[in-house]
Amino acid sequence: MNPRRHPAYAWAFVSRFLMFSGVFIILTYQTYIVSDRIGYGGDSTAGRVFPSTLLLGAGSLAASLLFGILEDRTGRLEPWLRLAAVASAAGLLVMCVNSSFGIFLTGMVLIGVAQGGYLSNDLPMVSRVLPDPEHAAQELGVYNLALVIPQMLIPLYGSLIVGADDSYPPLFVVGAVCSALAIAALAGVRGVR
């Protein structure tokens, strides 16, 4: 896939990559955030991670249904993708300013909304800009790398950002910036409503 020949597809890839670079920061470091930043270590960590994961899943499910319905009614994809990226940035910034468990749960709901809302609209978007619709499975397989690569990279750069002193706010800021850049990248996906 040549990004110069297929810029809309390339920008869709970049937007998804950036969006999930923000979302997967929380999913990757969730246990450590609960134990190190919030202070529920030892046996109580699992008891705190479980409800936060449930809230993330509930937010994701609700947003995927709602954003899908909104797209069907408006015939537009981009506003809902942008709103999902805003939810991701907001969730990360909420977690940045306070280390209480209640604030963490609020952030998890926002991250869930971001994840479900984005996924419900980005596949319809990219299916309209595939470089070779005759080989859609191959093109969508490449597009899926935008989900896989962040999961591999975050442990590498995340550990450098968090450092030995377990400072998570800079990592949250990096994730929020990635989410904001995902919004900007959507501008390159021309001709898709």
Side-chain angles (χ1 to χ4, degrees):
M1 193 271 312
N2 183 338
R4 288 187 179 178
R5 289 181 50 211
H6 307 285
Y9 177 81
W11 283 113
F13 183 97
V14 168
S15 180
R16 183 183 237 206
F17 174 85
L18 289 166
M19 172 67 180
F20 286 96
S21 291
V23 167
F24 286 136
I25 282 174
I26 298 305
L27 298 179
T28 301
Y29 284 94
Q30 179 181 5
T31 301
Y32 303 107
I33 293 165
V34 168
S35 64
D36 299 342
R37 179 166 164 79
I38 300 173
Y40 292 107
D43 294 339
S44 65
T45 302
R48 299 297 176 157
V49 168
F50 179 71
S52 67
T53 303
L54 282 179
L55 284 174
L56 180 125
S60 184
L61 178 63
S64 65
L65 294 170
L66 177 62
F67 282 43
I69 290 168
L70 291 170
E71 188 277 326
D72 285 344
R73 290 201 177 155
T74 63
R76 300 195 50 161
L77 294 164
E78 191 174 331
W80 315 117
L81 290 165
R82 290 178 184 273
L83 185 58
V86 167
S88 175
L92 287 154
L93 292 175
V94 160
M95 290 182 191
C96 185
V97 298
N98 191 303
S99 62
S100 73
F101 189 63
I103 293 295
F104 177 72
L105 292 177
T106 302
M108 289 297 280
V109 170
L110 288 168
I111 296 294
V113 166
Q115 178 177 312
Y118 199 89
L119 287 174
S120 70
N121 283 289
D122 85 319
L123 284 176
M125 174 188 64
V126 78
S127 68
R128 297 174 189 176
V129 297
L130 290 175
D132 184 4
E134 295 295 320
H135 295 96
Q138 175 183 331
E139 305 294 349
L140 290 172
V142 170
Y143 189 65
N144 191 53
L145 291 174
L147 281 176
V148 174
I149 295 170
Q151 293 177 71
M152 294 185 308
L153 294 178
I154 288 167
L156 298 174
Y157 71 78
S159 61
L160 297 173
I161 294 170
V162 171
D165 61 347
D166 295 330
S167 179
Y168 289 93
L171 186 62
F172 300 150
V173 170
V174 168
V177 168
C178 286
S179 297
L181 291 174
I183 296 169
L186 286 170
V189 186
R190 303 266 183 233
V192 176
R193 296 197 103 227

